[in-house]
Amino acid sequence: MSLARAEPTMPEEHYLNSERGLWSWLTTQDHKRVGVMFLVAVLLMFLLGGCYALALRLELLTPEETVMGRLAYNRAFTVHGVVMVWLFLIPSIPTAFGNFLLPLMIGARDVAFPRLNLASFYLYVLGAALTLWAMLQGGVDTGWTFYTPYSTATGTDVMPVLLGVFVVGFSTIITGLNFITTVHTMRAPGVGWMRLPLFVWAIYGTSIIQVLATPVLGMVLVLVALERVAGVGLFDPARGGDPLLYQHLFWFYSHPAVYIMILPGMGVISEAVSVFSRKNPFSYRVLVWSTVGIAFVGFLTWGHHMFVSGQSTFGAGAFSVLSMLVAIFTALKIFTWLSTMYRGSIWVCTPFVYVLGFIFLLFFGGMSGVAVAVTSADLHWHDTYFVVAHFHFIMVGASLMAFLGALHYWFPKMFGRRYPEGLGVGTAVLIIFGFIATFLPQFLLGNQGMPRRYADYPEHFQPLHVASTAGASLLGFGFLIVAIYLGWALLHGAAAGRNPWESRGFEWYSASPPPESNFHEPPAFPHGPHDYARPGIEPEVGHAL
């Protein structure tokens, strides 16, 4: 690697010090500060959900009761699922990195509706507070899916959790509308649709899903509340309702929600692969149109969650084929990323290690997704640990790799400082290994018939549960190291300079950290956001590992 040309310095004025005091943060309309506040909030939720995950793995160390009873176990896995799905995985990348980066990437001063942007943050906080308050009152035992008729009949306090998720849904819709409007109306001159950064395309596709699908979730939560409070017979067979109606409505939102989690991650990977391969994307248009394709087909796949519900053979076959279409668009992305790396000048640094982890987990988890989309195979694996392992590989593993990759790639842009690169690479390898060690045994457990959501199990499953808990311990240790060195870097890290990765991305045209107005002058981008083909790249700082 080349040596640094000059020691970079921090800009004197930037968005972090333009105004001082807690009140200036709480009332800010700066998209960058809102993004940072979302980042802090979702990290706190990740910490909470992760602690509950470790508690669950500790309980499953032995076949009988280890650290908690069965009712406590039911409530613990509900907290884990609700917090991780609704409060971390769905909002994490769009709210934190989308808010911070989208205006920078299109040359805008801010998002289209700055006040609404701040309001979406407070709606998120309000929804999270309602949800966690219910947990403090004794907890809920429905699981994160709130399946009826149990959720309308259980004696646990379901209403505040439903209300909390409902409010968080409003935050999601507002954020999506804001991003769509911003992309349509605030692009700098010369930034056409086929010149948008791939991360912006991913956030745009995600926003469309958020705006179209989330109202369905809000509606079904209201219907559950009506049945629970007013006794309306919608889902309870004893009142003339149909629980399958709930499943249709819930999964119509919740399967596209998987793509709300994974599409932003694919955008992160598309950016990082090009930067750290020092090459143009193998096919920009394939990456763009596969994003659109996944966003569209995602609405047509909900029925594969209901293969065992008694739906017709034709219906099951149709949903099976439609589900596999997603694999085609996903495969196009993976082949494009690998082709971009081929004969590239690969720079193995922390974000790139997370890129490799993302691609592996997405491929492995995606192939298991194709398997469960086959009706005959799904009948064997339905509601077993095989499904748990499958959706953790995709929803958690791949999304988490993208989140950590984004955090390390844009950390210098957001905070103007560098973290210890060697420690970052080593910890990334540890986290990927820990994740695989945690969930690979669960594929075997599920294939052998271990059902999900059970606190007790036959003794012959114990070795695989012990292996899974050991993997979870490694994973938790890895996250602790990341928290320590990034916390240290925030206070003591060396100045990063404007563009430490030598990226061609538009967001790096501003200082690191950016000024309050994003750009000191109206930006004019002389090349594309992934244009590494033309000579004359003038890096500000050389590679520093």
Side-chain angles (χ1 to χ4, degrees):
M1 298 296 175
S2 61
L3 296 176
R5 292 182 173 181
E7 191 66 28
T9 57
M10 291 272 285
E12 291 184 4
E13 292 186 7
H14 46 79
Y15 80 99
L16 290 169
N17 63 12
S18 59
E19 292 183 89
R20 297 184 184 278
L22 179 61
W23 185 248
S24 72
W25 279 84
L26 297 178
T27 59
T28 185
Q29 294 176 32
D30 185 340
H31 68 98
K32 299 182 289 298
R33 286 193 168 199
V34 173
V36 170
M37 290 195 293
F38 263 119
L39 179 63
V40 172
V42 297
L43 283 175
L44 288 175
M45 293 301 104
F46 177 66
L47 174 64
L48 179 64
C51 288
Y52 271 92
L54 288 175
L56 293 172
R57 290 313 318 166
L58 196 59
E59 166 55 31
L60 292 168
L61 263 179
T62 65
E64 303 296 338
E65 180 176 327
T66 309
V67 295
M68 63 181 83
R70 293 163 187 170
L71 181 58
Y73 180 85
N74 289 345
R75 293 176 174 181
F77 79 65
T78 300
V79 177
H80 167 67
V82 167
V83 168
M84 291 297 278
V85 172
W86 304 114
L87 302 178
F88 173 68
L89 289 170
I90 288 178
S92 59
I93 294 179
T95 58
F97 300 108
N99 258 314
F100 193 98
L101 293 163
L102 188 139
L104 286 166
M105 285 182 156
I106 62 173
R109 290 175 60 91
D110 209 315
V111 291
F113 308 114
R115 289 187 178 86
L116 270 182
N117 200 25
L118 182 61
S120 73
F121 172 73
Y122 283 117
L123 282 174
Y124 172 85
V125 172
L126 175 62
L130 283 168
T131 304
L132 298 181
W133 179 80
M135 304 304 177
L136 293 175
Q137 297 306 305
V140 178
D141 59 353
T142 61
W144 71 274
T145 54
F146 310 119
Y147 269 164
T148 59
Y150 186 73
S151 62
T152 61
T154 177
T156 55
D157 206 2
V158 178
M159 285 298 293
V161 182
L162 294 178
L163 183 59
V165 174
F166 183 82
V167 172
V168 170
F170 263 104
S171 170
T172 301
I173 294 170
I174 291 174
T175 299
L177 279 173
N178 216 343
F179 287 164
I180 291 172
T181 310
T182 302
V183 172
H184 275 270
T185 63
M186 299 184 69
R187 302 193 308 274
V191 184
W193 284 98
M194 285 297 128
R195 212 177 177 215
L196 281 177
L198 289 164
F199 181 70
V200 173
W201 266 111
I203 293 294
Y204 183 78
T206 304
S207 299
I208 290 175
I209 302 176
Q210 288 174 323
V211 171
L212 295 180
T214 309
V216 180
L217 172 72
M219 179 185 68
V220 73
L221 294 178
V222 169
L223 294 179
V224 172
L226 279 175
E227 177 140 324
R228 190 175 173 85
V229 174
V232 179
L234 294 166
F235 307 121
D236 188 350
R239 298 169 178 167
D242 184 356
L244 289 183
L245 173 61
Y246 175 85
Q247 293 190 35
H248 279 292
L249 293 172
F250 179 81
W251 287 116
F252 182 81
Y253 165 78
S254 294
H255 198 78
V258 173
Y259 308 115
I260 295 176
M261 301 175 206
I262 203 68
L263 268 180
M266 290 175 167
V268 173
I269 300 307
S270 298
E271 294 285 336
V273 163
S274 189
V275 172
F276 297 110
S277 301
R278 320 308 298 170
K279 279 181 65 182
N280 295 12
F282 180 73
S283 175
Y284 174 91
R285 290 181 181 272
V286 165
L287 290 171
V288 168
W289 290 114
S290 58
T291 297
V292 176
I294 290 173
F296 174 71
V297 175
F299 283 100
L300 308 175
T301 59
W302 81 93
H304 77 235
H305 291 271
M306 302 167 64
F307 284 157
V308 299
S309 68
Q311 64 181 295
S312 69
T313 304
F314 175 80
F319 280 118
S320 177
V321 171
L322 288 169
S323 300
M324 292 178 188
L325 282 180
V326 178
I328 295 175
F329 290 118
T330 304
L332 287 173
K333 284 189 179 293
I334 292 176
F335 290 143
T336 305
W337 293 329
L338 295 178
S339 300
T340 304
M341 292 182 205
Y342 179 65
R343 291 190 173 181
S345 178
I346 302 295
W347 182 358
V348 181
C349 53
T350 308
F352 188 76
V353 176
Y354 285 116
V355 166
L356 298 179
F358 177 93
I359 293 175
F360 174 77
L361 295 178
L362 181 69
F363 176 77
F364 198 97
M367 292 305 294
S368 65
V370 173
V372 296
V374 177
T375 52
S376 56
D378 184 74
L379 293 177
H380 176 63
W381 290 320
H382 187 82
D383 260 350
T384 69
Y385 264 78
F386 191 95
V387 176
V388 174
H390 158 66
F391 73 69
H392 273 84
F393 259 67
I394 295 289
M395 289 167 53
V396 183
S399 297
L400 201 53
M401 293 302 121
F403 180 84
L404 290 170
L407 184 60
H408 286 82
Y409 175 51
W410 283 304
F411 186 88
K413 170 54 60 183
M414 298 176 79
F415 305 107
R417 296 188 183 278
R418 293 189 307 195
Y419 51 84
E421 190 59 47
L423 192 56
V425 170
T427 310
V429 173
L430 175 66
I431 287 176
I432 294 169
F433 178 77
F435 188 89
I436 294 171
T438 302
F439 293 102
L440 197 59
Q442 296 185 17
F443 279 114
L444 304 176
L445 279 169
N447 197 48
Q448 293 175 17
M450 173 76 201
R452 60 195 287 198
R453 305 191 183 99
Y454 280 62
D456 300 338
Y457 55 84
E459 287 187 3
H460 65 271
F461 288 134
Q462 189 177 14
L464 288 170
H465 273 299
V466 171
S468 184
T469 302
S473 303
L474 284 179
L475 200 52
F477 183 59
F479 292 139
L480 179 63
I481 297 175
V482 171
I484 290 173
Y485 74 69
L486 287 186
W488 175 88
L490 276 176
L491 300 174
H492 307 292
R498 182 178 61 82
N499 187 4
W501 306 117
E502 304 169 18
S503 170
R504 308 303 300 266
F506 295 156
E507 74 273 26
W508 299 98
Y509 273 70
S510 65
S512 300
E516 186 179 13
S517 58
N518 287 351
F519 302 94
H520 290 300
E521 299 176 356
F525 305 122
H527 53 71
H530 313 287
D531 186 1
Y532 295 91
R534 290 186 297 177
I537 298 174
E538 294 294 337
E540 182 184 348
V541 181
H543 299 184
L545 287 174

